[in-house]
Amino acid sequence: MSSTSRVETSLTPAPVYTLKAQIPVLQGSSDARVTNFNDEMSLLTQEEIAKFKDNASEVRVPTGSTGSSYEQQYTLLSPPGNLISLQFQIKIYIYQTSRPRVHTRTVNYDLETGKDVTIDQLFLAGSDYLTRISNYCVTQLKGRPIDFASYFNGAQPNLQNYGNWNITPEGFQITFAEGQVAATQQQVVVPYAELQAVIDPHGPLAGFLSK
């Protein structure tokens, strides 16, 4: 996997902004599964940039100011293999707002099937996997100095709360957005040992089951 960069500067007409986006790309093959991945990464970036430009166009920027800014980076979190688990960190500043905002998007792609992996494909059908994940996350978050009690609902076991996840060698990583379980973004890695009873032995996490 390599990266391409999209860099833009717009000083006039509105919106006024600077933009830099790092985009993952697979090279060396014309296989449809590779092409699908590259197209998906490009579309994700286009969607995020379009939302940013819409917001940036709503503010008036004085002459000489660099205005708003967009910065996108990604990290490959998965171990070597057909599963590609990426975390995008997108930092956006809209002119005259108090501070930049950071949000995360995750992509979990199976190169063998050429499709995204959904969370329900990882665990046994009918299992209480969300409850197990939530219980572990709640315990970890309660031990942090983040005033978690004020944000308790953001870690309850529903799919909306656990939409940003990654497959890492250390465990199943959950990323909570700013304002979801704390004022700042939080991450919790759930060890696979905590999920042994609910991991589908024929699913993408089968390699993390204890022998």
Side-chain angles (χ1 to χ4, degrees):
M1 181 180 294
S2 60
S3 299
T4 61
S5 294
R6 177 173 172 179
V7 180
E8 293 180 16
T9 300
S10 176
L11 299 179
T12 185
V16 177
Y17 63 85
T18 57
L19 179 154
K20 184 175 182 180
Q22 182 189 37
I23 308 165
V25 60
L26 296 175
Q27 297 179 325
S29 174
S30 58
D31 188 288
R33 295 168 294 185
V34 171
T35 302
N36 289 343
F37 173 83
N38 291 339
D39 288 346
E40 182 178 337
M41 298 305 97
S42 178
L43 180 59
L44 180 152
T45 301
Q46 291 172 17
E47 289 175 347
E48 292 292 332
I49 289 175
K51 289 187 289 187
F52 161 72
K53 288 183 177 180
D54 284 345
N55 291 329
S57 67
E58 295 178 359
V59 297
R60 301 185 68 176
V61 179
T63 302
S65 173
T66 56
S68 303
S69 62
Y70 178 101
E71 182 179 352
Q72 173 182 301
Q73 296 181 319
Y74 73 89
T75 304
L76 176 65
L77 296 175
S78 50
N82 285 324
L83 287 176
I84 299 174
S85 191
L86 296 165
Q87 182 185 83
F88 288 84
Q89 290 283 344
I90 301 169
K91 183 179 180 181
I92 291 174
Y93 172 71
I94 302 298
Y95 182 74
Q96 287 188 326
T97 54
S98 59
R99 63 180 179 86
R101 302 282 295 183
V102 176
H103 72 275
T104 297
R105 288 191 62 173
T106 57
V107 173
N108 297 279
Y109 188 86
D110 187 339
L111 193 54
E112 184 174 357
T113 64
K115 297 179 180 179
D116 287 328
V117 178
T118 58
I119 192 170
D120 60 291
Q121 293 174 317
L122 306 178
F123 303 102
L124 292 168
S127 66
D128 60 347
Y129 68 89
L130 273 179
T131 299
R132 287 176 177 264
I133 294 169
S134 172
N135 287 343
Y136 186 87
C137 289
V138 167
T139 299
Q140 297 298 308
L141 293 167
K142 282 182 176 178
R144 300 179 184 180
I146 57 174
D147 188 28
F148 175 61
S150 299
Y151 299 88
F152 186 79
N153 288 335
Q156 293 305 292
N158 60 67
L159 289 173
Q160 183 177 358
N161 284 339
Y162 291 89
N164 274 335
W165 54 271
N166 287 105
I167 298 168
T168 79
E170 294 75 26
F172 190 66
Q173 180 173 295
I174 304 296
T175 301
F176 296 101
E178 291 183 359
Q180 183 179 348
V181 297
T184 57
Q185 180 176 277
Q186 299 291 313
Q187 292 182 341
V188 177
V189 177
V190 184
Y192 295 116
E194 298 285 336
L195 303 172
Q196 294 288 303
V198 294
I199 290 176
D200 185 343
H202 304 292
L205 294 183
F208 296 103
L209 285 168
S210 297
K211 305 300 183 184

